[in-house]
Amino acid sequence: MLAKLIQHASPLAQPGSARHILVVLPRLDSSSDESPGFEFAGRHALASLLARRRMAWREMGETPLSATLEGGALCAWIIVDPAQPPFEQQTRLRKAVRLLLEEKPAEIHLAVYGEGREIRDVAEWAVYTALVNGAELPSRKTAGKSESGKPLARIVLHGCRNADGFAAVYARAEGNLLTRSLTMLPPNELTPAIYRAKIRELAKREGWKYREFDVKALRKMGAGAFVAVAQGSDPEDAAIVHVKRRAGRSGKTAKTAKNVALVGKGICFDTGGHNLKPAKYMHGMHEDMNGSAVALGIMLAATRLGLPVDIDCWLAIAQNHISPHAYKQNDIVTTLQGTTIEIIHTDAEGRMVLADTLTLASRQKPDLMIDFATLTGTMHTALGCRYSGIFANREELLEKASSAGKSSGERIWAFPMDADYDDELESRIADIKQCSLEGDADHILAARFLGRFAGDGPWMHMDLSASSCKGGLGAVGSDVTGFGVGWGLTMLENL
C-alpha cells in the first residue's frame, strides 16, 4: 500500500506537530553567502549547524544536512537545482529522505520552496522518492529482528500543489514497487508455477486478458529454443505468458491508439545449466526474472494512468537447471521461426527463451516492440550498474530512448549492432550459433541474435545492467532498483 498524500498550498514555516520534515530549498546564488530571504522550517537550526561546521549557505551542495529541532522534530535540508538532470535531483532527494526514513516514521512532511513549473517538477520527484523508499518490500526477518518496520503511511506536502493529485507519480511508483517486490522474492517463493499464478491474479485484478503457452503446447508448436531451456526443470512448469491490456476506445483514440509489445525475460533461477555458474556468480540469480517484472511494472503504471496505448506483455517464464534432461553444448535446436541454433554455452539461456517469445510477439505486428532482460555480463562490464544498455533496429528509436532516459532519470547508453558482428555467430552445422565461447562483446552478439527473431517492425532491446546497484540508484535506495519502469513509462507517454 502506497502512502497517502495530503497537499497544503501554504509553506511550512514552523514544525508544529510534524515530527519528520524534509525541507527542499532552491539553488542559491553561488556568489552570495547570505541565507535565503524567506522563512522555512528549521531555518535557525540550520544556520547554527552551518556556523558550527564553518560552512556558508551556498556550500551545502549535494549533501543533505539534518538536526533535531527544538521540540524534538527531526528535520533534513537539501538544495535541489531544478536545472540539473532528473537523475541528479533524484539522487539528492533520496539521500535526504533516507535520513528521515531510517526512523521508520508513519508520516513525513515535505516542504518544497521556490516558484514555477520547475519547482513543481522537484516536488514530484520528492513525492516519488518518498513513495518508492517508504513502501514495504519483501523481507523474511522474523518478528523482533525485522529491520523493515512499518511502511510510510502519509506524506504531507507543503508549498506546492498538483491538480491531479500526483497521479503520474503514483502510477510510476506503483509500477516500480511491483517490479522490485517480484524481483526480491526468494526463488523458492517464485518458481515458474507460482509466478504464473501471481500474474494470473494480477491480470484478473487489473482487467487484463491472460493466456499462457505451457511446455506441452510450446513443444507441439515447435518452439524448440524455449523448450530446450525449460526441459531441464522438474516439473516442467515453464510457460510463455501473454497478458493483454487494451486502452479505452472513444473518439479520436479509437483510431490512433498505438500497439506496443513488451517482452520480458523471466528466468526465476539461473544455475547456468550444465555450464554451471560458480557460487559467486550464481548467488542472486533469482533476480534473473527482472526483465519480466519490468514489463509488468510498465504495464501496471500505464494502466493506472489510463494511457491510450494497447499493450501486449509477453513473458518468458522458466528456470535454467542442470538435469539429465537439460540442454547441453553442441545440441541443435529448431526455433518456432524455423531457424536452427547450435548450442555453444548453456548459460546463454536468456536469448534462447526470448527468441521464441519475440517470434510470438512479432507475429501481431506491433507498432513498437521492446524487450527487457538481465541478459549479459559483458553489459555490466561495459557500463557497471549505473546505466543500462539499449539496442534498436531504427536510428530514431535510439534518439527517443536516450531522451526518455534523461527525462526519467533512468539513464541508458546506446550500443552498435552492425551486421559484421554476425561473423562471430556463424555456425558450420546450423543457421546460427547461440553465442561465442570467447565472450567478447557478448551484449552486442546477443542483440544481433535476438534481432533474428524480432521481425521487421520497430524493436528495441534493453540489457538491464542497472537492475541491481549496491546502495541504490537515482531515487531508489534499495539494491534492486526497478530500473526500466520509469524509462518505459516515459516512452509510452511520448507515443
Side-chain angles (χ1 to χ4, degrees), residues 301-483:
T303 300
R304 287 286 180 271
L305 273 182
L307 291 186
V309 179
D310 293 340
I311 302 175
D312 287 275
C313 201
W314 298 85
L315 310 174
I317 298 175
Q319 298 190 83
N320 188 25
H321 274 310
I322 183 168
S323 84
H325 303 292
Y327 80 136
K328 55 194 177 295
Q329 287 177 289
N330 300 119
D331 280 355
I332 304 292
V333 300
T334 304
T335 68
L336 181 61
Q337 185 194 74
T339 301
T340 56
I341 302 174
E342 179 186 359
I343 304 305
I344 302 298
H345 200 297
T346 62
D347 198 20
E349 87 296 332
R351 67 201 72 184
M352 298 292 290
V353 297
L354 285 174
D356 286 334
T357 310
L358 285 167
T359 296
L360 279 175
S362 66
R363 285 177 175 177
Q364 296 194 354
K365 306 295 182 183
D367 296 302
L368 174 63
M369 183 161 63
I370 312 173
D371 77 75
F372 300 88
T374 48
L375 201 62
T376 65
T378 56
M379 181 60 81
H380 198 278
T381 300
L383 290 178
C385 66
R386 300 185 178 279
Y387 275 70
S388 284
I390 197 81
F391 299 83
N393 63 358
R394 305 281 198 281
E395 195 68 30
E396 63 270 19
L397 286 179
L398 294 177
E399 295 175 4
K400 292 178 180 178
S402 178
S403 177
K406 291 174 182 176
S407 61
S408 67
E410 294 186 340
R411 303 171 298 179
I412 59 96
W413 193 260
F415 282 81
M417 51 181 296
D418 299 280
D420 56 316
Y421 281 97
D422 287 349
D423 293 347
E424 302 300 317
L425 298 177
E426 288 186 3
S427 169
R428 293 185 294 107
I429 56 176
D431 295 328
I432 188 173
K433 285 182 180 179
Q434 168 207 36
C435 62
S436 165
L437 278 179
E438 283 70 32
D440 294 339
D442 187 49
H443 50 300
I444 300 176
L445 299 185
R448 287 296 303 177
F449 178 91
L450 292 179
R452 295 277 189 111
F453 306 94
D456 297 325
W459 162 71
M460 285 190 289
H461 159 60
M462 178 177 281
D463 198 334
L464 289 159
S465 46
S467 66
S468 180
C469 190
K470 188 174 182 179
L473 184 66
V476 179
S478 63
D479 291 354
V480 174
T481 64
F483 186 104

Side-chain angles (χ1 to χ4, degrees), residues 59-80:
E59 292 178 322
M60 281 181 62
E62 64 184 47
T63 303
L65 299 175
S66 65
T68 300
L69 305 182
E70 186 178 351
L74 175 62
C75 190
W77 303 270
I78 188 71
I79 293 176
V80 176

Side-chain angles (χ1 to χ4, degrees), residues 49-67:
L49 181 60
L50 291 171
R52 189 179 76 223
R53 296 189 179 188
R54 298 179 180 178
M55 293 173 60
W57 285 87
R58 57 183 172 82
E59 292 178 322
M60 281 181 62
E62 64 184 47
T63 303
L65 299 175
S66 65

Side-chain angles (χ1 to χ4, degrees), residues 38 115 130 188 205 278 399 419:
F38 53 84
E115 298 178 353
N188 58 323
R205 188 189 78 194
E399 295 175 4

